[in-house]
Amino acid sequence: MRVTFLEKLHPLSELTDPREYAQVFYDILQIHQWLYECAGILHRDLSSGNIMYRRIDGKVYGVLNDFDLSSRVGDMNNSPTSKQRTGTRPFMSLDLLDPDWAGGHLYRHDLESLFYIILCLACRYEAPGVPAPEPRPYSQWFSGSDEEICNNKYKFLTSPFGLINGLPIQSYFAGFQRWLRKIYDQLRGGYIRRPSCAKKLSTSNEESEESGDEDLEFSQSDNDLNFDWNTLNRHVSYARMRSVMSSFKGKSLETRWAGKTEF
């Protein structure tokens, strides 16, 4: 006879405090980084259903679940399954939805997925487990073809008018405004400076200032040959995400692991 003991984990919808949501999301970022840098594992399927939490002595701890589509980083170029585009479509990165993308699954794609998870929670729910009234924001990401979702996300991330009215964050999740705007600016800053976008979009310093990204300075265009695709030229990295997510509403969250990356 074999007996299996399973730990009880809780879904995000059971949280009742925005700060606890923030701690769980920050934990997921740290877990993802540890898996990538120390264990050599890339999850490749971040979604709201794969993020859970446990509560110990009154504190919440984020849990990253479901590694069915994960890959070893060292095998990414050799395993056929590692080259497949994976993810849950509403939360998939723009690149992985683009049929012309041939750069494989990068760790920043999972960080982009984490952004979409937080964004959809904050904008599509009035409170935990309570959907916002129809029409709910970003519903087009949950239906349609990969190409249609890709086009919608491309406009969202690159249009100079994309956030003219701000993000439609529900009042319960208003504390995530800073997180979401900062991470949006990081993603936008990287995507509009990709060599493939150079002829379509301006990369002036003035536009960078208008977008709210004050952390980096840029020349008129990034050098195509030296462009770092792994981090969209250092716009999207663990360190930059940590700089945003390590605090919530002006108060520090718990850092479980400091990480190894330099930028």
Side-chain angles (χ1 to χ4, degrees):
M1 181 176 68
R2 178 179 298 174
V3 179
T4 302
F5 293 92
L6 299 177
E7 178 185 6
K8 182 178 180 180
L9 299 175
H10 303 274
L12 288 174
S13 59
E14 291 186 10
L15 289 169
T16 57
D17 182 347
R19 183 174 177 82
E20 289 189 335
Y21 274 99
Q23 183 65 61
V24 168
F25 290 135
Y26 182 41
D27 285 347
I28 295 303
L29 177 66
Q30 296 174 78
I31 292 167
H32 191 280
Q33 183 178 4
W34 185 90
L35 286 167
Y36 183 77
E37 294 184 346
C38 296
I41 294 173
L42 186 60
H43 188 276
R44 302 204 312 152
D45 186 24
L46 264 66
S47 70
S48 56
N50 290 341
I51 296 177
M52 306 188 79
Y53 73 94
R54 61 170 62 93
R55 191 178 293 276
I56 302 174
D57 297 330
K59 292 184 178 181
V60 295
Y61 296 81
V63 177
L64 183 56
N65 201 18
D66 190 354
F67 285 76
D68 289 350
L69 298 177
S70 65
S71 296
R72 290 196 173 276
V73 176
D75 296 335
M76 291 293 287
N77 295 325
N78 302 318
S79 171
T81 56
S82 297
K83 296 179 181 179
Q84 295 176 359
R85 297 168 190 247
T86 61
T88 304
R89 289 199 302 170
F91 311 117
M92 284 177 69
S93 71
L94 174 59
D95 281 340
L96 295 179
L97 290 164
D98 186 345
D100 294 328
W101 173 253
H105 197 129
L106 307 175
Y107 88 79
R108 69 166 166 87
H109 292 143
D110 282 5
L111 302 191
E112 186 176 337
S113 293
L114 183 57
F115 166 73
Y116 294 136
I117 292 166
I118 302 170
L119 178 71
C120 287
L121 173 73
C123 297
R124 291 174 54 82
Y125 288 88
E126 288 187 328
V130 182
E134 298 290 349
R136 299 168 72 192
Y138 313 118
S139 291
Q140 65 271 29
W141 297 353
F142 290 77
S143 60
S145 65
D146 286 359
E147 184 176 1
E148 290 170 336
I149 300 173
C150 177
N151 289 336
N152 280 316
K153 286 189 175 180
Y154 180 83
K155 292 177 182 177
F156 171 72
L157 288 173
T158 63
S159 170
F161 309 107
L163 293 189
I164 194 168
N165 295 318
L167 291 167
I169 298 173
Q170 302 295 318
S171 58
Y172 181 90
F173 294 104
F176 286 98
Q177 175 73 39
R178 175 184 171 274
W179 276 27
L180 291 169
R181 185 54 199 253
K182 286 281 189 180
I183 300 172
Y184 172 88
D185 287 341
Q186 291 172 10
L187 288 165
R188 171 177 162 76
Y191 271 117
I192 67 174
R193 289 170 175 82
R194 293 184 302 174
S196 60
C197 296
K199 295 181 181 179
K200 299 179 181 179
L201 298 161
S202 169
T203 58
S204 66
N205 287 325
E206 180 180 355
E207 180 178 288
S208 177
E209 293 172 1
E210 290 176 353
S211 73
D213 190 348
E214 302 172 353
D215 298 325
L216 296 177
E217 294 182 359
F218 304 96
S219 59
Q220 181 64 24
S221 63
D222 291 323
N223 188 313
D224 290 8
L225 295 177
N226 295 325
F227 191 87
D228 178 11
W229 289 94
N230 286 317
T231 62
L232 287 177
N233 246 23
R234 297 193 175 190
H235 286 79
V236 185
S237 66
Y238 287 121
R240 284 178 64 76
M241 290 279 281
R242 277 175 173 267
S243 70
V244 174
M245 297 176 63
S246 59
S247 65
F248 185 72
K249 297 180 69 174
K251 295 183 179 180
S252 296
L253 297 170
E254 290 197 38
T255 296
R256 323 286 190 188
W257 182 67
K260 294 167 55 178
T261 50
E262 298 178 355
F263 54 83

